Amino acid sequence: RARLAENVRVLAAERGISINALADAIGVSRGTLHYLVTCQTAATIDTLAKVAGGLRVDPAELLAKRK
């Protein structure tokens, strides 16, 4: 969970998009995305795919160790 949360935060920041704006853009509730990026919940496969699409990355990149 921590790696996913960090990667979402970093990738969103690199793209100049807030977590709330990302949630709105991908059709996920702000609460769900907030819980995901604060490690309070695990992402479903559907949510993972939506987040990856919104950030324009392969879903595997959200789970990969950052260099």
Side-chain angles (χ1 to χ4, degrees), residues 7-66:
N7 287 343
V8 171
R9 286 191 307 267
V10 168
L11 290 165
E14 287 176 354
R15 286 154 178 74
I17 186 169
S18 71
I19 296 303
N20 285 341
L22 176 60
D24 293 343
I26 64 174
V28 171
S29 77
R30 291 177 177 195
T32 296
L33 203 52
H34 170 76
Y35 286 138
L36 189 148
V37 299
T38 57
C39 299
Q40 296 180 46
T41 191
T44 65
I45 296 295
D46 290 338
T47 300
L48 187 67
K50 288 179 182 180
V51 171
L55 294 171
R56 294 192 170 109
V57 297
D58 187 274
E61 189 172 339
L62 296 178
L63 303 173
K65 185 174 182 178
R66 296 194 63 79

